[in-house]
Amino acid sequence: MKLNARSGYFFMLVIAGISLSAGLIGCNSPKPAEPPPSPSKYSMSGRVVAIDKAKQQVTVDAADIPGFMMAMTMPYSVKNPGLLEPISPEDQITADVMVNGNDVWLENIVVVKKPDGAKTPPSKEAHPATPPPAKH
């Protein structure tokens, strides 16, 4: 069989078409699974407005959260229900706001100030009050 210029050109087109088809099939192969993104963390400070232990939520009147949102009052989920035990409405708190996609929750909640007039738990080093001196 004798090849002329026209046959050689046709042969090259067939080889190019096969290569292109193979390349496109390879592009449709599944990509390796990527690890889930780690949550972003933002520092928050604010005042506790309400606590809903059944829903594991705390509503906080928060100051601006730089890089995340402006000041607003909203409920936040708490994944560890034990974090709700030491807090009460009107407490001033700090916390880490964790954000992973649409999932937003609080961690590391710390009471920085109890409301005026609220009794704070006695410290281990507290001394009993000294009775007043007796009148003679």
Side-chain angles (χ1 to χ4, degrees), residues 3-25:
L3 293 177
N4 60 25
R6 190 178 264 183
S7 300
Y9 181 71
F10 178 74
F11 180 73
M12 294 294 281
L13 281 175
V14 169
I15 295 297
I18 292 171
S19 297
L20 181 62
S21 296
L24 291 175
I25 291 170

Side-chain angles (χ1 to χ4, degrees), residues 39-40 68 76-79 97-106:
S40 300
F68 182 55
Y76 291 90
S77 294
V78 177
K79 293 189 177 189
V97 180
M98 307 302 292
V99 180
N100 194 0
N102 290 332
D103 194 12
V104 178
W105 69 96
L106 296 184

Side-chain angles (χ1 to χ4, degrees), residues 32-50:
E34 295 181 18
S38 58
S40 300
K41 179 168 73 170
Y42 302 92
S43 295
M44 177 246 266
S45 64
R47 178 182 57 86
V48 174
V49 175

